Amino acid sequence: ESSNNHSNNNKSFRRSGSSLMDDDGIEKLLDALRIDLDRRDVICGDIFKNGLTPSEQRRLDLGLMVLGAPDNLFCESVVQGLDSETSLHIMEFLKGYVSKDTSRRVIVTLDRPSLFVWNLIDNVILLSKGRVVYEGPRFDMEAFFAFHKKPTPSRFSPLEHYLAVVNNFRGD
Protein backbone atom coordinates (compact mmCIF):
# COMPACT_ATOMS: atom_id res chain seq x y z
CA GLU A 1 0.00 0.00 0.00
CA SER A 2 1.28 3.47 -0.90
CA SER A 3 1.88 6.12 1.71
CA ASN A 4 0.95 8.77 -0.86
CA ASN A 5 -1.42 11.25 0.81
CA HIS A 6 -2.37 12.93 -2.47
CA SER A 7 -5.17 10.43 -3.04
CA ASN A 8 -6.86 11.53 0.19
CA ASN A 9 -7.86 14.97 -1.03
CA ASN A 10 -10.07 16.09 -3.89
CA LYS A 11 -7.45 18.08 -5.78
CA SER A 12 -6.17 16.62 -8.98
CA PHE A 13 -2.44 16.55 -9.59
CA ARG A 14 -0.45 16.39 -12.79
CA ARG A 15 3.11 15.17 -12.90
CA SER A 16 5.45 16.91 -15.29
CA GLY A 17 9.19 16.30 -15.26
CA SER A 18 10.44 16.59 -11.69
CA SER A 19 7.64 18.83 -10.47
CA LEU A 20 4.19 18.02 -9.23
CA MET A 21 1.65 20.74 -10.02
CA ASP A 22 -1.92 20.80 -8.78
CA ASP A 23 -4.80 22.54 -10.55
CA ASP A 24 -4.21 25.68 -8.47
CA GLY A 25 -0.60 25.77 -9.64
CA ILE A 26 -1.67 25.41 -13.25
CA GLU A 27 -4.23 28.20 -12.82
CA LYS A 28 -1.51 30.42 -11.32
CA LEU A 29 0.75 29.60 -14.26
CA LEU A 30 -2.00 30.50 -16.75
CA ASP A 31 -2.63 33.72 -14.80
CA ALA A 32 1.08 34.58 -14.96
CA LEU A 33 1.02 33.95 -18.71
CA ARG A 34 -2.06 36.18 -18.98
CA ILE A 35 -4.25 33.59 -20.62
CA ASP A 36 -7.80 34.80 -19.99
CA LEU A 37 -10.21 32.59 -18.03
CA ASP A 38 -12.63 32.34 -20.94
CA ARG A 39 -9.82 31.12 -23.24
CA ARG A 40 -8.46 28.33 -21.04
CA ASP A 41 -10.73 25.62 -22.42
CA VAL A 42 -10.32 26.61 -26.08
CA ILE A 43 -8.80 23.99 -28.36
CA CYS A 44 -5.49 25.15 -29.79
CA GLY A 45 -6.88 24.84 -33.30
CA ASP A 46 -5.90 23.23 -36.57
CA ILE A 47 -6.34 23.80 -40.29
CA PHE A 48 -10.10 23.26 -40.01
CA LYS A 49 -10.95 25.11 -36.80
CA ASN A 50 -9.76 28.39 -35.34
CA GLY A 51 -8.61 28.14 -31.76
CA LEU A 52 -6.11 30.09 -29.74
CA THR A 53 -4.59 33.18 -31.29
CA PRO A 54 -0.89 33.02 -32.25
CA SER A 55 -0.11 35.10 -29.16
CA GLU A 56 -2.06 32.72 -26.91
CA GLN A 57 -0.39 29.72 -28.56
CA ARG A 58 3.06 31.22 -27.91
CA ARG A 59 2.20 31.81 -24.25
CA LEU A 60 0.76 28.29 -23.91
CA ASP A 61 3.93 26.82 -25.46
CA LEU A 62 5.96 28.74 -22.91
CA GLY A 63 3.76 27.44 -20.10
CA LEU A 64 4.27 23.87 -21.29
CA MET A 65 8.02 24.46 -21.34
CA VAL A 66 8.13 25.57 -17.70
CA LEU A 67 5.78 22.93 -16.26
CA GLY A 68 8.71 20.69 -15.37
CA ALA A 69 10.56 23.64 -13.79
CA PRO A 70 13.75 23.15 -15.85
CA ASP A 71 16.89 24.92 -14.70
CA ASN A 72 17.81 25.81 -18.29
CA LEU A 73 15.23 27.15 -20.68
CA PHE A 74 16.07 27.85 -24.32
CA CYS A 75 13.61 30.12 -26.16
CA GLU A 76 14.30 30.85 -29.80
CA SER A 77 12.53 33.92 -31.16
CA VAL A 78 10.17 33.87 -28.20
CA VAL A 79 8.72 37.32 -28.93
CA GLN A 80 9.18 37.49 -32.70
CA GLY A 81 6.05 38.67 -34.48
CA LEU A 82 4.22 39.60 -31.29
CA ASP A 83 3.01 43.06 -30.36
CA SER A 84 5.15 45.04 -27.92
CA GLU A 85 2.80 44.57 -24.96
CA THR A 86 2.68 40.77 -25.33
CA SER A 87 6.45 40.68 -25.86
CA LEU A 88 6.96 42.62 -22.66
CA HIS A 89 4.61 40.33 -20.70
CA ILE A 90 6.43 37.23 -21.96
CA MET A 91 9.81 38.64 -21.02
CA GLU A 92 8.49 39.71 -17.59
CA PHE A 93 7.19 36.16 -17.11
CA LEU A 94 10.61 34.73 -18.01
CA LYS A 95 12.37 37.20 -15.69
CA GLY A 96 10.03 36.14 -12.87
CA TYR A 97 10.65 32.47 -13.65
CA VAL A 98 14.39 32.95 -13.26
CA SER A 99 14.05 35.02 -10.08
CA LYS A 100 12.24 32.19 -8.26
CA ASP A 101 15.32 29.94 -8.24
CA THR A 102 18.96 31.03 -8.49
CA SER A 103 19.88 27.86 -10.38
CA ARG A 104 17.59 28.79 -13.29
CA ARG A 105 18.66 30.53 -16.46
CA VAL A 106 16.74 31.48 -19.56
CA ILE A 107 18.50 31.89 -22.87
CA VAL A 108 16.52 33.74 -25.53
CA THR A 109 17.23 34.87 -29.05
CA LEU A 110 15.92 38.34 -29.81
CA ASP A 111 15.95 40.28 -33.04
CA ARG A 112 15.64 44.03 -32.43
CA PRO A 113 13.86 43.95 -29.05
CA SER A 114 11.92 46.95 -27.83
CA LEU A 115 13.60 49.15 -25.26
CA PHE A 116 11.23 47.78 -22.59
CA VAL A 117 12.23 44.19 -23.39
CA TRP A 118 15.90 45.21 -23.63
CA ASN A 119 15.82 46.64 -20.10
CA LEU A 120 14.79 43.22 -18.72
CA ILE A 121 17.91 41.51 -20.10
CA ASP A 122 20.75 40.75 -17.67
CA ASN A 123 23.46 39.30 -19.91
CA VAL A 124 23.99 39.69 -23.64
CA ILE A 125 25.80 37.92 -26.43
CA LEU A 126 25.94 40.07 -29.57
CA LEU A 127 26.82 38.25 -32.76
CA SER A 128 27.80 39.57 -36.16
CA LYS A 129 28.25 37.25 -39.11
CA GLY A 130 28.62 34.28 -36.78
CA ARG A 131 31.23 35.94 -34.57
CA VAL A 132 30.86 37.01 -30.96
CA VAL A 133 31.28 40.78 -30.75
CA TYR A 134 30.26 41.19 -27.11
CA GLU A 135 29.49 38.80 -24.29
CA GLY A 136 28.72 39.99 -20.79
CA PRO A 137 26.38 42.02 -18.60
CA ARG A 138 24.07 44.45 -20.37
CA PHE A 139 25.12 47.17 -17.93
CA ASP A 140 28.78 46.88 -19.05
CA MET A 141 28.07 47.32 -22.74
CA GLU A 142 28.51 51.08 -22.86
CA ALA A 143 31.99 50.83 -21.32
CA PHE A 144 32.87 48.09 -23.82
CA PHE A 145 31.74 50.13 -26.83
CA ALA A 146 33.41 53.31 -25.48
CA PHE A 147 36.68 51.39 -24.99
CA HIS A 148 36.49 50.37 -28.66
CA LYS A 149 35.94 54.01 -29.67
CA LYS A 150 32.23 53.49 -30.39
CA PRO A 151 30.45 55.25 -27.50
CA THR A 152 26.74 55.89 -27.76
CA PRO A 153 26.13 59.40 -29.12
CA SER A 154 24.10 61.69 -26.89
CA ARG A 155 20.32 61.54 -27.42
CA PHE A 156 20.67 58.18 -29.16
CA SER A 157 19.24 54.86 -28.00
CA PRO A 158 22.07 52.65 -26.70
CA LEU A 159 20.28 49.56 -28.03
CA GLU A 160 19.98 51.02 -31.53
CA HIS A 161 23.60 52.16 -31.38
CA TYR A 162 24.91 48.74 -30.34
CA LEU A 163 22.93 47.03 -33.10
CA ALA A 164 24.16 49.54 -35.70
CA VAL A 165 27.78 49.03 -34.62
CA VAL A 166 27.39 45.24 -34.59
CA ASN A 167 25.73 45.24 -38.02
CA ASN A 168 28.74 47.12 -39.40
CA PHE A 169 31.27 44.91 -37.57
CA ARG A 170 34.00 43.67 -39.87
CA GLY A 171 36.06 41.57 -37.44
CA ASP A 172 39.37 42.51 -39.06
Side-chain angles (χ1 to χ4, degrees), residues 15-20 67-70:
R15 179 164 290 291
S16 177
S18 63
S19 71
L20 186 64
L67 272 179

Side-chain angles (χ1 to χ4, degrees), residues 156-170:
F156 203 81
S157 163
L159 171 60
E160 293 297 322
H161 174 69
Y162 304 150
L163 291 174
V165 169
V166 167
N167 286 330
N168 293 318
F169 176 72
R170 290 184 177 44

Side-chain angles (χ1 to χ4, degrees), residues 61-143:
D61 289 343
L62 188 56
L64 293 172
M65 290 170 60
V66 302
L67 272 179
D71 286 339
N72 298 302
L73 193 60
F74 297 92
C75 303
E76 183 177 3
S77 304
V78 70
V79 297
Q80 184 176 354
L82 299 177
D83 63 84
S84 59
E85 183 179 3
T86 302
S87 297
L88 180 61
H89 293 309
I90 285 175
M91 292 302 292
E92 288 173 336
F93 171 81
L94 291 172
K95 185 85 169 182
Y97 177 78
V98 168
S99 70
K100 290 179 182 164
D101 186 335
T102 58
S103 67
R104 291 180 181 170
R105 73 183 58 68
V106 174
I107 300 165
V108 298
T109 60
L110 297 171
D111 182 33
R112 300 215 176 258
S114 72
L115 189 57
F116 296 110
V117 167
W118 175 251
N119 287 329
L120 292 173
I121 304 295
D122 295 321
N123 293 293
V124 176
I125 299 174
L126 284 178
L127 303 173
S128 178
K129 300 176 183 136
R131 292 181 154 174
V132 175
V133 176
Y134 175 82
E135 179 180 4
R138 178 179 55 87
F139 292 110
D140 293 344
M141 291 180 75
E142 184 56 36

Side-chain angles (χ1 to χ4, degrees), residues 9-15 20-31 37 40 67:
N9 63 29
N10 291 331
K11 285 186 173 183
S12 65
F13 288 86
R14 298 176 185 126
R15 179 164 290 291
L20 186 64
M21 189 172 281
D22 64 12
D23 285 343
D24 290 338
I26 290 174
E27 291 300 319
K28 286 178 185 174
L29 176 61
L30 294 172
D31 287 342
L37 286 172
R40 294 183 183 181
L67 272 179

